[in-house]
């Protein structure tokens, strides 16, 4: 759903840019409350993982593909404010390095793909979390539904923005029907990926999942072949060290998975146009699409320039993207974390 330059007129793009900037400012402040010593390292990894999985287009129907948007996944794993920042970092890296999503449309894309998906999904997640049993399985179920709803919601917001500032004369009813219809199908893929990822993290480190913190379940770690209750007084001497080691292992595993997905698995992704591209072509929305300002980038279109082998070219581009995204995301969240430490007294930092 990366909107290119030329789909939405300049005034509407400017307004969405202001909205996006305001939302990012609020998110930076809100993320200070979410990013403790556990979540801060994970946030950069979440951004890199979203980047990697967005390269894995999956077929849906009628020559159309879809890919993860990531708002629901980020919101559940690291919190809604941090989630907005995670997806925004991904969008910025994609636009600057890979010419994916227009520069003048950056406000549109942040508003649609980062803010809308995160806010809608987290609202649905919290509503379900309040009525479902307080179990890990409930977190996974709520994540699935939240992600499913977030994708057509983003499609509806794009349709609204197009109705306000679309550059081509296409009946809004046709755009809405096509966009929401195809993104309902894409939402199923989004929901499956989100639920599987959340379930996997909960299985090994439930304390690191922001949406599962209210469960108050004890963390059990395996230390030298034995299970240790990280919250038990008897394990006080070994639990903190084991917890740090387990967190580090999760981070390394997540990064390795992201590199494999972007560097190798992405070669086998669907080559069909994604939902927005398909609708734009079929309905004529793309008649005034403009050339991307970064079209000459060495990594444009997720391929390394002057590397003739398609598999190697795409793999190197994917690995580079994951590396740059995890570094950029980690830097942002480290700064936010330091501001939290400076703003909040040590006695008040516990969650």
């Amino acid at each position: 759903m990366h909107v290119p330059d030329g789909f939405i007129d300049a005034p509407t793009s400017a307004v969405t840019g202001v909205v996006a900037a305001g939302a990012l400012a609020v998110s930076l402040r809100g993320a200070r409350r979410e990013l403790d010593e556990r979540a801060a390292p994970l946030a950069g990894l979440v951004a890199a993982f979203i980047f990697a999985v967005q390269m894995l287009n999956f077929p849906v129907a009628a020559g159309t593909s879809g890919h993860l948007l990531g708002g629901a996944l980020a919101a559940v794993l690291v919190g809604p404010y941090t989630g907005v920042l995670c997806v925004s970092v991904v969008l910025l890296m994609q636009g600057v390095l890979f010419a994916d999503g227009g520069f003048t449309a950056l406000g549109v894309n942040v508003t649609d793909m980062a803010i809308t998906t995160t806010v809608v999904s987290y609202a649905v997640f919290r509503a379900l979390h309040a009525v479902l049993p307080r179990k890990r399985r409930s977190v996974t179920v709520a994540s699935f539904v939240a992600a499913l709803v977030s994708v057509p919601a983003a499609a509806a917001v794009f349709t609204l923005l197009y109705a306000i500032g679309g550059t081509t004369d296409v009946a809004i009813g046709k755009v809405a029907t096509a966009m929401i219809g195809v993104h309902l199908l894409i939402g199923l893929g989004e929901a499956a990926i989100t639920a599987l990822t959340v379930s996997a993290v909960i299985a090994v480190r439930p304390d690191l999942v922001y949406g599962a913190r209210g469960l108050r379940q004890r963390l059990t770690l395996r230390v030298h072949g034995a299970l240790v209750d990280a919250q038990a007084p008897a394990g006080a001497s070994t639990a903190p060290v084991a917890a740090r080691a387990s967190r580090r292992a999760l981070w390394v595993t997540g990064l390795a998975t992201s590199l494999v997905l972007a560097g190798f698995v992405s070669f086998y992704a669907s080559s069909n146009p994604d939902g927005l591209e398909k609708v734009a072509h079929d309905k004529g929305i793309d008649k005034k699409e403009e050339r991307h300002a970064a079209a000459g980038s060495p990594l444009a279109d997720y391929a390394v320039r002057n590397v003739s082998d398609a598999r190697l070219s795409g793999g190197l581009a994917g690995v580079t993207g994951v590396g740059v995204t995890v570094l950029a995301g980690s830097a942002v969240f480290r700064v936010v974390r330091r501001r939290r430490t400076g703003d909040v007294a040590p006695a008040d930092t516990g969650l």
Side-chain angles (χ1 to χ4, degrees), residues 33-36 38 210 213 216 340 348-351:
R33 299 191 298 271
E34 295 173 346
L35 291 172
D36 58 8
R38 297 170 297 171
Y210 184 89
R213 290 184 179 182
R216 306 294 184 188
R340 168 196 166 99
D348 298 328
T349 57
L351 294 178

Side-chain angles (χ1 to χ4, degrees), residues 13 21 51 55 83 92 101 171 174 182 189 219 227 230 247 257-258 269 281 295 301 305 310 325-326:
S13 297
F51 174 90
M55 293 185 66
L92 182 60
K174 293 182 178 180
V182 72
L219 170 63
L227 292 177
R247 187 165 61 238
T257 301
S258 300
H281 178 73
D301 297 323
R305 185 190 300 173
T325 302
V326 75

Side-chain angles (χ1 to χ4, degrees), residues 109-345:
N109 285 318
V110 170
T111 299
D112 197 23
M113 295 179 65
I115 301 169
T116 298
T117 59
T118 304
V119 171
V120 170
S121 64
Y122 195 69
V124 172
F125 176 83
R126 294 307 304 176
L128 291 174
H129 195 259
V131 298
L132 291 173
R134 310 291 280 183
K135 298 180 179 180
R136 296 180 184 180
R137 184 178 301 174
S138 298
V139 176
T140 302
V141 171
S143 300
F144 182 94
V145 177
L148 176 62
V149 173
S150 70
V151 178
V157 169
F158 169 80
T159 303
L160 175 62
L161 293 174
Y162 177 80
I164 296 171
T167 57
T168 54
D169 186 17
V170 180
I172 192 63
K174 293 182 178 180
V175 176
T177 300
M179 282 293 294
I180 295 175
V182 72
H183 284 90
L184 279 171
L185 298 176
I186 294 172
L188 291 172
E190 177 101 11
I193 294 170
T194 299
L196 287 172
T197 305
V198 169
S199 178
V201 178
I202 286 180
V204 294
R205 286 298 302 266
D207 62 312
L208 294 182
V209 178
Y210 184 89
R213 290 184 179 182
L215 298 181
R216 306 294 184 188
Q217 296 183 2
R218 291 189 173 189
L219 170 63
T220 302
L221 303 172
R222 186 173 296 278
V223 182
H224 303 302
L227 292 177
V228 176
D229 187 344
Q231 299 179 2
S237 60
T238 59
V241 176
R244 285 194 295 272
S246 176
R247 187 165 61 238
R248 189 179 301 113
L250 175 64
W251 196 93
V252 171
T253 301
L255 180 59
T257 301
S258 300
L259 291 170
V260 170
L261 291 175
F264 177 73
V265 181
S266 62
F267 180 78
Y268 301 98
S270 173
S271 60
N272 291 331
D274 66 25
L276 176 58
E277 291 173 335
K278 178 67 172 176
V279 172
H281 178 73
D282 289 349
K283 304 301 179 183
I285 297 175
D286 60 356
K287 289 180 180 178
K288 295 187 178 180
E289 180 178 350
E290 299 174 4
R291 177 179 168 83
H292 199 289
S297 165
L299 298 173
D301 297 323
Y302 299 93
V304 178
R305 185 190 300 173
N306 298 328
V307 176
S308 58
D309 185 276
R311 179 176 297 183
L312 179 60
S313 178
L316 290 175
V319 168
T320 301
V322 169
V324 172
T325 302
V326 75
L327 290 175
S330 297
V332 169
F333 299 122
R334 186 176 296 112
V335 171
V336 174
R337 169 64 181 156
R338 286 177 179 173
R339 286 183 174 272
R340 168 196 166 99
T341 305
D343 292 345
V344 183

